[in-house]
Amino acid sequence: VSFEWVKLLEHVVQCRIENAKELLASDESVKAISYTLGFASPSSFNDAFRRMTGETPGEFRHRTFRVAH
């Protein structure tokens, strides 16, 4: 596999994660978001999200969009 191909794939995943961050502001489930973004499964989405951000989609959603009570 060429270096350019690897860089392209990394860029695609990074774009998907950035889109995920926006979608996580909605009421959509993490499972639905993972399929919307084209991940094969919610677990592959969770793994990719954690690799790119250091936290799971659920942790990101809670930290970023939690509502003050």
Side-chain angles (χ1 to χ4, degrees), residues 4-5 13 15 17 19 25 31 44 52 55 63 66 69:
E4 292 83 13
W5 182 250
V13 171
C15 289
I17 298 305
N19 286 337
K31 180 179 179 179
S44 62
M52 298 295 287
E55 59 191 344
R63 180 182 57 78
R66 66 176 170 238
H69 293 197

Side-chain angles (χ1 to χ4, degrees), residues 5-41:
W5 182 250
V6 171
K7 284 302 200 185
L8 176 63
L9 290 176
E10 287 177 1
H11 178 71
V12 169
V13 171
Q14 187 174 18
C15 289
R16 290 160 88 188
I17 298 305
E18 291 305 314
N19 286 337
K21 289 177 179 179
E22 293 177 18
L23 292 173
L24 287 166
S26 72
D27 291 336
E28 200 72 34
S29 71
V30 171
K31 180 179 179 179
I33 291 170
S34 71
Y35 290 125
T36 296
L37 294 173
F39 285 90
S41 68

